[in-house]
């Protein structure tokens, strides 16, 4: 639920009036939990991000298709950042028009990136409100975190409108954390299994010899909430749980600002588990790249990727927001940024979310499911969650009822998944939720899954049981892909890059199919809390299933 505080958009506004608005469909409501803390002083400095219109986006998309399709002659022929830059760099005209516009407002303090498609400029609030007509900046606070955001939509001058995708730093609040939750369950007396590295490695068939050994391999976790991992927690975790396999106990690089506060469960979990499946692989942590109050940390991370030529091959990210709260212009541009990473051979893995199919209240007794972005992006690999059928044993896996999944309402179904998704829809017709709840023409997710329930995590020096969420399954899958990348590098093969086109061609081969259980959704009369259900082959709850490492390695080591 978002609450409307300062501004309401009269329904009378016709689409004509919106002509200067880049993000007319962006939610400007203040999310629950944030409190207003006054108008921003006119002299206060803000840092805003301008997303300049790129060139050759269709060519970029076609290139991504070719380099990610194992049946294409261009498979694995990735581009360098330099090559991406020459492809998408904004035209001279675009660059000139935007610069002139900024300069005409006295804005000259700007940074750019290697691809020149983002500019980040510092200006006072007074100048920002003149530049971006309609904007009104306020302070907001939540749990000690302070932000500046605009309570009203912004428009830009008609001359610059065609040259910009959007301006970052005005609207989007950091979404509520998909923080792994403590989900305590009431098991019968006896020793249930908590998930530890040894349990994961047993379930996914990783032997002690299945660790990284390639020189130039690396993996990363990224987090954008005010969350820190403590190196001492990782060391303690590996000391407790890493006895049975060779591993690293230190992160090689931290990019961004690590605060000094308490460790976050999420941050601890991500690092501890990517380094348990992706054992002995150099690991980076991207943390809070945006430190200025007007920045959007997720966007800052995307900007950073366009400015670093040497990046880890696999990134796992537990971050998502309601698709319906974000402007199409913003999501479309973020998708282009995902493509830019994909053509470089970078694999981006997003958690599918912890609210099942989600629920959006559309009116009195009228609901629909609620997809989450970037999980719903066609250009990333989205990871859902499972639990053990028998919590006392390493048995087969069933749906974890929180596992996020469903269909995008914005992005159409990509070709690589059409057969799989239509197969699912056909085979379960009789038991599908009502059609009014979801959109069968959209990108369907997740693509894969892993255990997401009942993990042990060391945080602030203390081992904590019962930690659950798709933010656990995502780094687990990330580590497995990194191991495979390592084996490919040793054979002189290119890394996996954007996995989906190849993953869907496997048709579930080398994965443990999850066929039992349903995830949650709207608590209303019609669906009664039930979303989609797992089924043989692909499904919108657990994707194709969970990794069987030796078989997956064999299947992905062929070309
Ligand atoms: C991108 O990197 C260059 C140097 O490599 C730096 O000068 C520039 O400020 C960076 N851009 C941003 C937005 O941080
Ligand atoms: C992997 O694990 C499954 C179930 O745990 C087992 O049945 C299978 O034999 C194992 N080995 C391979 C190579 O798949
Ligand atoms: C760990 O990785 C390094 C390369 O980063 C390699 O030299 C070493 O042999 C690996 N250890 C094991 C046990 O495979
Ligand atoms: C490691 O990979 C990066 C990124 O492709 C490349 O620039 C670098 O030269 C590689 N280093 C080695 C030692 O192969
Ligand atoms: C369904 O998804 C398509 C994109 O695949 C979109 O164009 C359409 O507007 C969506 N319908 C609804 C009701 O959201």
């Amino acid at each position: 639920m978002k609450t409307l505080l300062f501004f309401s958009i009269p329904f009378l506004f016709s689409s004509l009036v919106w002509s200067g608005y880049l993000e007319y469909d962006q939610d400007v409501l203040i999310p629950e939990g944030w409190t207003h803390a006054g108008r921003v002083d006119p002299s206060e400095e803000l840092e805003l991000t301008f997303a300049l219109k790129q060139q050759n986006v269709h060519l970029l998309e076609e290139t991504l298709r070719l380099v990610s399709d194992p049946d294409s002659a261009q498979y694995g022929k990735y581009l360098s950042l330099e090559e991406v830059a020459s492809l998408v760099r904004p035209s001279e005209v675009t660059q000139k028009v935007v610069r002139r516009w900024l300069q005409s407002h006295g804005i000259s303090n700007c940074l750019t990136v290697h691809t020149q498609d983002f500019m980040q400029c510092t200006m006072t609030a007074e100048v920002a409100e003149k530049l971006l007509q309609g904007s009104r900046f306020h302070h907001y606070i939540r749990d000690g975190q302070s932000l500046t955001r605009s309570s009203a939509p912004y428009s830009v001058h008609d001359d610059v409108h065609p040259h910009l995708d959007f301006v970052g730093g005005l609207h989007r609040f950091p979404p509520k954390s998909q923080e792994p939750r403590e989900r305590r369950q009431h098991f019968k007396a006896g020793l249930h299994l908590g998930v530890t590295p040894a349990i994961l490695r047993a379930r996914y068939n990783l032997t002690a010899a299945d660790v990284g050994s390639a020189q130039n391999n690396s993996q990363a976790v990224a987090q954008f909430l005010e969350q820190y991992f403590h190196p001492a927690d990782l060391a303690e975790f590996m000391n407790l749980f890493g006895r049975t396999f060779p591993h690293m106990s230190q992160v090689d690089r931290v990019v961004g600002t690590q605060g000094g506060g308490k460790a976050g469960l999420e941050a601890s979990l991500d690092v501890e588990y990517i380094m348990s499946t992706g054992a002995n692989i150099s690991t980076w942590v991207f943390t809070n790249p945006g430190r200025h109050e007007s920045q959007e940390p997720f966007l800052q991370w995307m900007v950073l990727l366009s400015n670093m030529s040497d990046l880890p091959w696999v990134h796992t990210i537990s971050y998502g927001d309601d698709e319906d709260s974000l402007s199409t212009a913003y999501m479309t541009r973020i998708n282009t940024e995902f493509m830019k990473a994909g053509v470089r051979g970078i694999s981006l893995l997003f958690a599918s979310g912890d609210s099942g199919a989600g629920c959006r209240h559309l009116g009195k007794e009228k609901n629909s499911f609620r997809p989450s972005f970037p999980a719903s992006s066609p250009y990333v690999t989205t990871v859902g969650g499972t639990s053990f059928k028998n919590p006392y044993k390493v048995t087969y896996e069933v749906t974890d009822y929180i596992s996020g999944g469903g269909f995008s309402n914005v992005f159409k179904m990509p070709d690589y998944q059409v057969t799989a998704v239509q197969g699912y829809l056909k085979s379960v017709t009789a038991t599908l939720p009502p059609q009014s709840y979801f959109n069968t023409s959209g990108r369907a997710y997740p693509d894969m899954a892993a255990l997401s329930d009942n993990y042990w995590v060391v945080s602030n020096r203390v081992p904590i049981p019962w930690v659950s969420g798709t933010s656990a399954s995502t780094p687990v899958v990330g580590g497995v892909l990194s191991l495979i990348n390592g084996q490919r590098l040793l054979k002189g093969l290119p890394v996996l890059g954007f996995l989906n086109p190849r993953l869907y061609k496997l048709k579930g081969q080398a994965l443990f199919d999850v066929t039992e259980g349903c995830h949650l959704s709207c608590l209303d009369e019609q669906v009664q809390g039930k979303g989609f259900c797992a089924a043989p082959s692909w499904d919108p709850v657990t994707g194709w299933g969970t990794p069987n490492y030796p078989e997956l390695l064999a299947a992905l080591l062929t070309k």
Side-chain angles (χ1 to χ4, degrees):
M1 270 304 281
K2 312 237 172 172
T3 48
L4 191 64
L5 285 189
F6 306 103
F7 181 84
S8 77
I9 304 161
F11 246 67
L12 298 171
F13 270 61
S14 76
S15 58
L16 255 181
V17 181
W18 293 114
S19 67
Y21 292 83
L22 293 167
E23 300 186 78
Y24 61 90
D25 54 344
Q26 171 65 45
D27 196 343
V28 299
L29 308 183
I30 309 309
E32 207 182 341
W34 291 93
T35 31
H36 181 232
R39 273 279 277 162
V40 165
D41 190 273
S43 67
E44 199 168 312
E45 292 215 315
L46 306 177
E47 195 163 89
L48 300 179
T49 304
F50 299 84
L52 280 67
K53 252 310 170 256
Q54 297 151 317
Q55 301 189 89
N56 301 316
V57 173
H58 287 296
L59 194 51
L60 177 71
E61 177 157 28
E62 178 61 8
T63 306
L64 178 65
R65 197 181 64 74
L66 292 173
V67 299
S68 323
D69 175 359
D71 294 327
S72 145
Q74 263 170 269
Y75 181 67
K77 301 218 164 89
Y78 299 123
L79 274 54
S80 65
L81 178 59
E82 188 54 55
E83 288 165 330
V84 174
S86 37
L87 191 61
V88 302
R89 186 179 289 137
S91 71
E92 294 290 326
V93 173
T94 292
Q95 296 189 46
K96 208 174 276 171
V97 168
V98 174
R99 266 173 220 284
R100 283 226 188 102
W101 172 60
L102 293 169
Q103 275 161 9
S104 72
H105 285 80
I107 301 163
S108 56
N109 188 1
C110 297
L111 303 177
T112 184
V113 291
H114 202 76
T115 44
Q116 285 167 291
D117 45 5
F118 285 112
M119 284 176 76
Q120 218 164 330
C121 306
T122 309
M123 69 204 77
T124 63
E126 187 177 16
V127 169
E129 289 184 1
K130 283 202 188 106
L131 183 77
L132 305 166
Q133 287 290 315
S135 65
R136 285 177 65 78
F137 287 88
H138 299 259
H139 286 287
Y140 299 95
I141 47 175
R142 180 182 73 183
D143 303 335
Q145 191 187 354
S146 166
L147 283 184
T148 59
R149 288 294 186 265
S150 170
S151 58
Y154 64 95
S155 66
V156 298
H157 194 280
D158 280 349
D159 294 348
V160 273
H161 191 273
H163 300 286
L164 287 176
D165 284 327
F166 71 92
V167 183
L170 287 97
H171 291 320
R172 285 159 289 272
F173 284 73
K176 252 216 184 75
S177 130
Q178 297 190 354
E179 167 98 4
R181 269 173 298 225
E182 223 191 290
R183 202 187 326 139
R184 198 175 294 269
Q185 294 166 5
H186 299 284
F187 292 121
K188 300 191 298 271
L191 212 60
H192 73 92
L193 286 176
V195 175
T196 61
I199 297 286
L200 285 167
R201 294 181 67 88
R203 168 60 185 159
Y204 300 134
N205 277 335
L206 291 157
T207 69
D210 292 319
V211 300
S213 58
Q215 283 299 330
N216 202 11
N217 196 16
S218 57
Q219 57 191 3
V221 298
Q223 56 235 347
F224 315 107
L225 307 166
E226 296 277 318
Q227 282 247 348
Y228 313 108
F229 92 96
H230 285 176
D233 288 341
L234 174 61
E236 168 78 1
F237 177 84
M238 287 302 182
N239 187 34
L240 283 174
F241 300 116
R243 297 276 163 94
T244 55
F245 58 97
H247 57 78
M248 294 186 180
S249 297
Q250 272 179 1
V251 162
D252 275 340
R253 191 163 163 198
V254 175
V255 184
T257 327
Q258 272 258 84
K262 274 177 61 173
L265 211 49
E266 167 83 63
S268 310
L269 172 74
D270 290 356
V271 172
E272 290 165 10
Y273 280 92
I274 199 170
M275 294 180 74
S276 295
T277 49
N280 197 42
I281 295 174
S282 173
T283 303
W284 298 18
V285 172
F286 286 82
T287 178
N288 289 304
R291 294 296 294 171
H292 199 286
E293 288 187 13
S294 58
Q295 281 171 340
E296 299 176 38
F298 177 73
L299 178 61
Q300 286 309 112
W301 172 73
M302 290 259 66
V303 170
L304 193 62
L305 293 194
S306 279
N307 214 23
M308 293 178 75
S309 55
D310 236 341
L311 285 170
W313 294 119
V314 171
H315 297 249
T316 75
I317 305 108
S318 308
Y319 177 90
D321 210 346
D322 296 332
E323 201 182 54
D324 57 82
S325 75
L326 301 167
S327 73
T328 306
Y330 168 81
M331 291 187 285
T332 302
R333 174 57 186 261
I334 294 296
N335 276 342
T336 307
E337 297 306 306
F338 294 151
M339 291 183 222
K340 281 163 63 185
V343 297
R344 297 167 69 187
I346 293 167
S347 307
L348 300 176
L349 274 64
F350 280 84
S352 71
D354 294 347
S355 313
C359 190
R360 182 181 185 194
H361 305 289
L362 296 169
K364 197 162 175 285
E365 281 164 47
K366 192 170 181 321
N367 296 322
S368 73
F369 296 156
R370 187 167 222 175
S372 150
F373 182 84
S376 71
S377 166
Y379 308 101
V380 301
T381 298
T382 303
V383 182
T386 64
S387 36
F388 281 124
K389 172 70 174 176
N390 176 347
Y392 301 93
K393 281 201 185 121
V394 179
T395 49
Y396 69 96
E397 292 158 75
V398 297
T399 296
D400 182 350
Y401 67 95
I402 54 101
S403 181
F407 294 77
S408 173
N409 286 318
V410 182
F411 303 108
K412 81 176 202 0
M413 188 179 297
D415 290 344
Y416 61 73
Q417 68 171 188
V418 170
T419 311
V421 180
Q422 286 178 351
Y424 170 80
L425 292 171
K426 212 171 281 166
S427 73
V428 299
T429 315
T431 53
L432 277 176
Q435 290 282 319
S436 60
Y437 281 73
F438 64 102
N439 189 337
T440 51
S441 64
R443 169 356 181 191
Y445 67 96
D447 304 300
M448 276 180 80
L451 286 160
S452 57
D453 190 20
N454 207 358
Y455 277 60
W456 281 93
V457 175
V458 174
S459 197
N460 299 301
R461 255 29 66 79
V462 185
I464 299 170
W466 313 109
V467 178
S468 300
T470 52
S471 45
S473 49
T474 309
V476 165
V477 172
V480 169
L481 294 187
S482 279
L483 285 179
I484 298 173
N485 271 345
Q487 292 299 314
R488 290 180 60 87
L489 290 170
L490 288 175
K491 275 190 78 172
L493 292 169
V495 292
L496 292 167
F498 175 45
L499 184 66
N500 291 9
R502 188 158 188 182
L503 177 69
Y504 280 76
K505 281 190 175 172
L506 293 178
K507 297 187 163 45
Q509 176 204 343
L511 297 160
F512 296 122
D513 194 3
V514 179
T515 60
E516 283 180 30
C518 307
H519 65 183
L520 53 89
S521 77
C522 300
L523 285 168
D524 61 23
E525 292 241 322
Q526 273 214 71
V527 293
Q528 302 186 0
K530 198 164 109 185
F532 299 100
C533 299
S537 192
W538 182 91
D539 57 69
V541 189
T542 59
W544 284 106
T546 68
N548 180 7
Y549 178 72
E551 285 193 23
L552 193 59
L553 175 65
L556 295 178
L557 208 51
T558 52
K559 56 180 153 187

